């Protein structure tokens, strides 16, 4: 049977929840009756969410797709700012479990109609009286719409215990609000033809509950309360990489620092060489190469924040003052090698990029580190980054000289005079509604 709705009805229900999440930005979300975790798979990409929980009584459905919730490779390349944990449980929505208390959002998509009417009251008590989420979204079939579904006789699914009219659904919801302190609004998805919409309503009716007072006055038991109940069985748990992990933060920060330091150095060198000004030619004026970065920010970023500008000048000034003609420090280093009994002096030239310039030129470096002091501290013991003696700048050696030095080291270590070089590669299923 061709779908009667476009997009299909189950996608419209999920999109309704996704739009709610985009607007309200809940941090903790639980989906009751998660089935094959379709909704959770979509919600995991919303980076405001820090905890996603799914609960279903059907073990086979949950375990069939749960490993697809593992982090994607892109999650490691671009970690989240805040952590995300996903947990899946097997359990009944009519039973209490302390781990699900106090969530920001609870969803129940086409679930309540699968409960015997005698259990609906228990469901209300568990969800609204015990779990006490700030917001609750519940959808259920609207039986008034059924005559418009061709070929349907009886309920939409063989496991449905009832299907409410709009008046019955609203009566139950208003009773919940009165008893447990919530407010509710009614809407739905799956519109009828315009001439019939007002008479039959939506195909799936939706109630959006909001706890009066939000989180104010919310009383949630502490985690060490001996009277807490844990009736659900944990089936799956995974934590996504995030910048809250100091090792991940350092790795991402180092990559950004090295990339931007090299980019700034190249930009400065291109401006000097393309400008035709011989006083800046690297081969003629070493000091300009060593300390040219002190004014580079004025050429590249004319509207830079003045505080960072002053700190950049101060950092470069300290380094320049510390290096005299006799003691050139970290900016120009000399080392000796023995070649055929004769000593040959070789000089290694180093460019220095102030950390303050990196903070002002790269917003991501600034946001990751938080401050110039934190940036210096995070880079201090990082083996892949070399700082100046006072820790105010990143030292970058010429790639050609760096490669030449590495080749010399290889020759000395191996004892061979000739070497060959190589490159390193581095939704709940419904019998009838499946076709909607």
């Amino acid at each position: 049977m061709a779908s009667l709705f476009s997009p299909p009805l189950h996608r419209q229900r999920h999109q309704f929840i996704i739009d709610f999440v985009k607007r309200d930005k809940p941090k903790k979300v639980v989906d009751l009756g998660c089935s094959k975790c379709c909704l959770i798979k979509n919600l995991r990409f919303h980076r405001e969410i820090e905890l996603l929980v799914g609960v279903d009584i059907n073990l086979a459905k949950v375990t069939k797709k749960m490993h697809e919730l593992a982090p994607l490779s892109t999650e490691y390349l671009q970690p989240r700012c805040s952590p995300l944990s996903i947990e899946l449980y097997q359990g009944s929505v009519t039973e209490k479990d302390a781990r699900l208390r106090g969530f920001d959002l609870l969803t129940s998509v086409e679930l309540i109609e699968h409960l015997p009417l005698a259990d609906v009251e228990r469901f209300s008590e568990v969800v609204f009286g015990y779990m006490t989420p700030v917001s609750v979204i519940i959808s259920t079939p609207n039986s008034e719409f059924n005559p418009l579904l061709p070929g349907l006789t009886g309920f939409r699914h063989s496991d449905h215990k009832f299907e409410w009219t709009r008046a019955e659904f609203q009566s139950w919801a208003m009773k919940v609000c009165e008893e447990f302190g919530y407010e509710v609004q009614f809407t739905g998805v799956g519109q009828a033809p315009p001439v019939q919409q007002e008479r039959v309503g939506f195909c799936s009716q939706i109630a959006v509950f909001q706890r009066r007072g939000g989180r104010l006055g919310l009383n949630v038991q502490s985690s060490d309360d001996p009277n807490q109940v844990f009736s659900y069985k944990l089936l799956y748990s995974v934590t996504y990489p995030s910048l809250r992990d100091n090792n991940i933060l350092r790795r991402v920060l180092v990559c950004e620092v090295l990339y931007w330091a090299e980019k700034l150095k190249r930009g400065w060198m291109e401006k000097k060489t393309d400008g035709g000004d011989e006083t800046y030619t690297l081969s003629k004026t070493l000091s300009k190469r060593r300390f040219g970065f002190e004014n580079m920010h004025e050429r590249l970023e004319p509207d830079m924040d003045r505080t960072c500008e002053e700190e950049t000048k101060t950092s470069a000034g300290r380094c320049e003052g510390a290096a005299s003609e006799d003691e050139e420090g970290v900016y120009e280093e000399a080392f000796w090698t023995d070649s055929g009994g004769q000593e040959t002096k070789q000089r290694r030239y180093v460019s220095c990029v102030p950390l303050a310039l990196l903070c002002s030129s790269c917003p991501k470096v600034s946001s990751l580190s938080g401050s110039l002091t934190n940036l210096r501290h995070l880079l201090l013991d990082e083996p892949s980054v070399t700082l100046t003696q006072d820790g105010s700048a990143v030292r970058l050696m010429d790639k050609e000289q760096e490669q030449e030095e590495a080749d010399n080291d290889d020759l000395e270590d191996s004892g061979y005079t000739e070497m060959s070089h190589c490159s390193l590669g581095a939704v709940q299923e419904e019998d009838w509604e499946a076709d909607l």
Side-chain angles (χ1 to χ4, degrees):
M1 181 189 299
S3 176
L4 296 178
F5 299 99
S6 181
L9 196 59
H10 69 275
R11 292 186 182 178
Q12 292 190 40
R13 291 191 289 254
H14 287 178
Q15 189 60 49
F16 180 90
I17 295 172
I18 291 171
D19 292 341
F20 182 93
V21 168
K22 289 179 179 179
R23 183 175 65 253
D24 279 38
K25 296 178 171 51
K27 291 185 177 182
K28 299 172 61 178
V29 181
V30 54
D31 181 29
L32 301 184
C34 63
S35 188
K36 297 179 182 178
C37 308
C38 296
L39 178 59
I40 294 177
K41 289 178 185 177
N42 289 321
L43 292 179
R44 63 178 169 159
F45 297 111
H46 296 268
R47 299 205 165 196
E48 299 85 0
I49 299 177
E50 297 182 1
L51 177 60
L52 269 174
V53 174
V55 179
D56 202 290
I57 199 170
N58 190 318
L59 177 63
K61 285 187 177 181
V62 177
T63 56
K64 185 176 182 179
K65 298 286 187 178
M66 66 183 185
H67 293 290
E68 296 180 4
L69 297 173
L72 304 174
S73 58
T74 54
E75 297 287 345
Y76 293 93
L77 297 174
Q78 295 182 334
R80 303 161 56 99
C81 293
S82 57
L84 168 65
S85 295
I86 298 179
E87 299 173 357
L88 300 179
Y89 295 91
Q90 180 190 20
S92 170
V93 296
T94 61
E95 297 178 353
K96 300 177 180 179
D97 191 295
R99 290 168 290 190
L100 272 64
R101 301 202 69 195
F103 274 56
D104 299 307
L105 173 63
L106 181 148
T107 63
S108 174
V109 180
E110 309 295 287
L111 167 69
I112 194 172
E113 65 275 4
H114 291 267
L115 302 176
L117 282 171
D119 286 342
V120 173
E121 185 175 349
R122 180 65 174 167
F123 170 84
S124 305
E125 180 184 345
V126 170
V127 170
F128 297 95
Y130 180 77
M131 295 181 180
T132 59
V134 177
S135 303
V136 180
I137 298 177
I138 294 180
S139 76
T140 189
N142 169 22
S143 64
E144 296 176 77
F145 197 97
N146 286 356
L148 300 183
L149 302 177
L152 175 64
T153 58
F155 294 151
R156 301 183 190 180
H157 191 283
S158 59
D159 188 55
H160 285 186
K161 306 303 187 293
F162 62 88
E163 289 180 359
W164 278 333
T165 64
R166 287 175 291 173
E168 291 170 331
F169 183 47
Q170 293 174 16
S171 175
W172 168 80
M174 297 304 296
K175 181 181 178 181
V176 165
C177 292
E178 182 180 352
E179 186 172 354
F180 299 106
Y182 281 80
E183 297 176 348
V184 65
Q185 292 182 337
F186 300 99
T187 182
V189 294
Q191 289 188 329
V195 294
Q196 297 176 304
Q197 179 64 39
E198 184 177 352
R199 179 176 63 85
V200 301
F202 294 97
C203 188
S204 282
Q205 50 188 337
I206 297 176
V208 180
F209 299 83
Q210 297 286 350
R211 183 177 178 84
R212 295 194 186 106
R215 286 198 163 276
L216 297 178
L218 187 60
N219 182 23
V220 179
Q221 292 172 301
S222 62
S223 58
D224 57 355
D225 190 329
N227 296 321
Q228 289 190 103
V229 179
F230 301 96
S231 59
Y232 296 165
K233 178 183 178 181
L234 179 63
L235 301 175
Y236 181 78
S237 177
V238 64
T239 299
Y240 279 50
S242 77
L243 298 177
R244 298 278 182 90
D245 184 322
N246 196 55
N247 292 328
I248 295 176
L249 171 63
R250 188 186 298 269
R251 174 178 60 80
V252 174
L253 179 62
V254 166
C255 290
E256 290 293 328
V257 165
L258 292 176
Y259 170 79
W260 280 97
E262 186 66 31
K263 184 175 182 179
L264 290 170
K265 185 194 78 170
R266 290 180 181 177
W268 173 78
M269 293 177 64
E270 290 173 0
K271 282 182 175 292
K272 302 306 180 187
T273 55
D274 294 344
D277 190 342
E278 292 185 357
T279 60
Y280 290 105
T281 302
L282 303 184
S283 61
K284 299 188 68 172
T285 308
L286 175 62
S287 62
K288 289 296 182 181
R289 175 174 182 171
R290 285 158 46 197
F291 308 116
F293 276 95
E294 66 177 310
N295 294 319
M296 187 182 71
H297 62 282
E298 294 179 356
R299 299 170 182 266
L300 298 181
E301 301 288 344
D303 297 327
M304 184 184 302
D305 181 83
R306 306 310 299 176
T307 302
C308 292
E309 179 181 345
E310 294 300 324
E311 192 164 1
T312 303
K313 291 182 178 180
T314 303
S315 299
R318 287 199 306 268
C319 296
E320 185 171 5
S324 63
E325 293 294 330
D326 298 328
E327 183 183 2
E328 294 173 337
V330 298
Y331 290 90
E332 177 185 359
E333 298 180 357
F335 58 91
W336 297 84
T337 60
D338 189 0
S339 176
Q342 296 181 352
E343 291 183 336
T344 303
K345 185 177 181 181
Q346 298 179 349
R347 291 203 181 276
R348 180 177 63 183
Y349 300 115
V350 178
S351 301
C352 298
V353 184
L355 298 183
L357 179 58
L358 284 168
C359 281
S360 60
S361 300
C362 178
K364 189 169 183 179
V365 170
S366 179
S367 64
L368 288 172
S369 57
S371 68
L372 189 58
T373 302
N374 287 342
L375 176 59
R376 186 179 297 114
H377 175 74
L378 289 168
L379 297 178
L380 195 58
D381 298 324
E382 176 55 46
S384 60
V385 177
T386 304
L387 299 180
T388 56
Q389 288 180 343
D390 64 353
S392 65
V394 176
R395 301 170 66 249
L396 297 174
M397 188 171 65
D398 280 356
K399 294 296 183 182
E400 294 181 0
Q401 296 181 15
E402 189 175 10
Q403 182 62 46
E404 182 179 349
E405 180 180 324
D407 293 342
N408 290 335
D409 290 342
D410 291 340
L411 287 171
E412 293 175 4
D413 293 340
S414 65
Y416 291 98
T417 57
E418 295 182 359
M419 296 183 64
S420 61
H421 300 277
C422 63
S423 60
L424 300 178
V427 182
Q428 287 180 327
E429 294 182 352
E430 298 178 350
D431 295 340
W432 198 92
E433 284 198 333
D435 297 319
L436 288 183

